[in-house]
Amino acid sequence: MMGSVDAAGYAAQLDDKRQRLVELLTPFDAPAPQIFESPREHYRLRSEFRLWREGEERHYAMFAPGDKHTPILLDAFPVASRRINELMPPLKAAWQASEALSFKLFQVEFLTTLAGDALITLAYHRPLDDAWRAEAEALSASLGASLVGRSRGQRLVIGRDYVEETLEVAGRSYRYRQPEGAFSQPNGEVCQKMLGWAYEALGERDDDLLELYCGNGNFTLPLATRVRRVLATEISKSSVNAALVNLADNGIDNVALVRLSAEELTQALNEVRPFRRLAGIDLKRYDFGTVFVDPPRAGMDRDTCELTRRFERILYISCNPQTLAANIAQLHDTHRVTRSALFDQFPYTHHMEAGVLLERR
């Protein structure tokens, strides 16, 4: 059943991922990866469900890949956080009892945190009115969760449009604002392990860090405490805004954050053209020793990969080990892999997250 867990088979699945990662890194003489396991259940902090109508009742539903016509109806979802599982039954009872909440409702999204915060997004094929708002406000109060109502061209927020997370790295707690609709790591326990590994791999430095694809500052916050200064880049406006709040909330003041793509930053560093968004930032004043990258599944493009080559150390987190291996192949003549890790962000799937530290030969 979708969402069920095979705890007995977990070790074998994880070992299969380890073998695949080792095979991908073997051509580069990489050390054996550190393995960071996931909780066996209730590890996923985000979940999205379609609604499927049978008679007068709407059910949580998921579909197998490639099949949009055969719903798998759910009352619980064991891979999702305990908070999501607590919220599913009373939310369903609420829409069953309310025409204002259920009419043209087609999708439900949950966003939760290890710290216990929760936000629910309800998506509709109709405009939302005062009757909906009144019911949603009562529901938000009874569930102890924020609500966002979405329909075409409309977004109504009951409470907050973000959740607040707390993650601990090397004995320090960091607070993160995670906005609705923006990317956040789905497996909070493993995310904490990733941050700890990156923190240790970077080490205590007396130079500066360049970070590409910084998102909401997930890695930026702990890594900034290990270096003199950080220049961080991110193209998503909502992620940049969240990162700025997170830096301020945690009292971290040695980070300059600019909204540039990795490709644009490459052009700036190569002095191909100036960028107004870099006004007030003197790139020549930075003494970059390490570049940290956490790119999308496609990995780094060739020019960005060449940009990272100029740094002594490249700290790389990857959600796609195939593109990670392709990027390492491009860098292998100048840099060698000195650390590697496997983070099991997505148990019971073939997906895995990996990390490597590359150092100049």
Side-chain angles (χ1 to χ4, degrees), residues 28 34 88 104 114 158 279 305 321 344:
F28 314 115
Q34 288 178 263
M88 288 174 70
K104 301 271 186 161
L114 295 175
I158 311 297
C305 209
D344 198 20

Side-chain angles (χ1 to χ4, degrees), residues 9-24:
Y10 178 82
Q13 292 177 338
L14 183 60
D15 190 59
D16 177 64
K17 293 180 184 182
R18 181 193 63 78
Q19 290 180 42
R20 284 195 286 125
L21 182 60
V22 166
E23 286 171 10
L24 284 168

Side-chain angles (χ1 to χ4, degrees), residues 8-9 24 32 72 74 119 122 136 138 175 186 240 258 269 280 296 307 315 322 325 331 342 357:
L24 284 168
I72 302 166
L74 302 166
L119 184 152
L122 304 174
R175 299 194 313 279
V240 167
V258 292
L269 289 170
L307 169 68
L315 191 52
Q322 275 78 23
L331 297 164
L342 187 162
L357 174 65

Side-chain angles (χ1 to χ4, degrees), residues 14-281:
L14 183 60
D15 190 59
D16 177 64
K17 293 180 184 182
R18 181 193 63 78
Q19 290 180 42
R20 284 195 286 125
L21 182 60
V22 166
E23 286 171 10
L24 284 168
L25 297 181
T26 292
F28 314 115
D29 300 316
Q34 288 178 263
I35 309 298
F36 294 90
E37 298 185 4
S38 171
R40 305 305 193 260
E41 61 180 5
H42 300 309
Y43 51 81
R44 189 172 177 83
L45 298 175
R46 294 188 277 125
S47 291
E48 177 183 303
F49 303 97
R50 300 290 290 200
L51 264 62
W52 189 266
R53 187 166 184 161
E54 285 191 347
E56 295 302 309
E57 196 169 351
R58 284 181 173 83
H59 302 272
Y60 295 105
M62 285 186 161
F63 297 84
D67 179 1
K68 295 186 178 180
H69 304 289
T70 311
I72 302 166
L73 306 184
L74 302 166
D75 291 317
F77 195 49
V79 303
S81 68
R82 295 186 189 281
R83 186 79 172 107
I84 291 175
N85 280 274
E86 290 169 1
L87 289 168
M88 288 174 70
L91 176 60
K92 181 178 179 180
W95 79 57
Q96 286 300 123
S98 168
E99 179 72 10
L101 291 174
S102 65
F103 184 54
K104 301 271 186 161
L105 173 65
F106 72 93
Q107 184 168 292
V108 176
E109 299 171 24
F110 293 92
L111 175 61
T112 61
T113 67
L114 295 175
D117 209 358
L119 184 152
I120 302 168
T121 301
L122 304 174
Y124 292 84
H125 286 310
R126 69 170 178 97
L128 302 177
D129 53 18
D130 290 341
W132 181 88
R133 180 183 283 278
E135 294 276 349
E137 287 175 349
L139 177 59
S140 172
S142 69
L143 294 178
S146 295
L147 289 180
V148 174
R150 283 189 174 274
S151 65
R152 187 182 297 275
Q154 194 177 22
R155 181 174 177 268
L156 300 181
V157 179
I158 311 297
R160 302 178 311 197
D161 64 351
Y162 60 88
V163 292
E164 292 183 334
E165 180 63 287
T166 301
L167 300 174
E168 188 167 302
V169 182
R172 175 174 172 177
S173 294
Y174 297 88
R175 299 194 313 279
Y176 294 87
R177 182 177 296 193
Q178 298 177 346
E180 184 256 352
F183 175 79
S184 59
Q185 296 285 349
N187 189 324
E189 294 285 357
V190 175
C191 176
Q192 219 161 217
K193 295 174 181 179
M194 289 169 59
L195 296 178
W197 179 85
Y199 178 92
E200 288 299 324
L202 177 59
E204 196 75 41
R205 313 290 301 171
D206 59 3
D207 52 17
D208 302 326
L209 173 71
L210 175 65
E211 181 181 5
L212 308 181
Y213 322 96
C214 78
N216 71 349
N218 186 45
F219 286 93
T220 318
L221 271 56
L223 295 186
T225 68
R226 301 289 260 174
V227 297
R228 190 177 61 172
R229 289 181 303 180
V230 179
L231 177 64
T233 70
E234 170 59 49
I235 192 62
S236 162
K237 200 172 206 174
S238 63
S239 293
V240 167
N241 291 337
L244 290 170
V245 170
N246 292 336
L247 289 166
D249 282 353
N250 288 274
I252 293 174
D253 59 6
N254 64 335
V255 177
L257 179 58
V258 292
R259 193 163 71 86
L260 291 175
S261 69
E263 294 81 2
E264 288 171 329
L265 183 71
T266 300
Q267 292 176 349
L269 289 170
N270 290 336
E271 300 183 352
V272 173
R273 66 186 181 100
F275 289 87
R276 279 182 299 174
R277 280 168 281 175
L278 281 169
I281 295 177

Side-chain angles (χ1 to χ4, degrees), residues 279-297:
I281 295 177
D282 183 0
L283 294 177
K284 291 186 171 64
R285 287 184 60 239
Y286 285 89
D287 176 23
F288 293 119
T290 308
V291 59
F292 175 78
V293 297
D294 183 10
R297 289 192 61 76

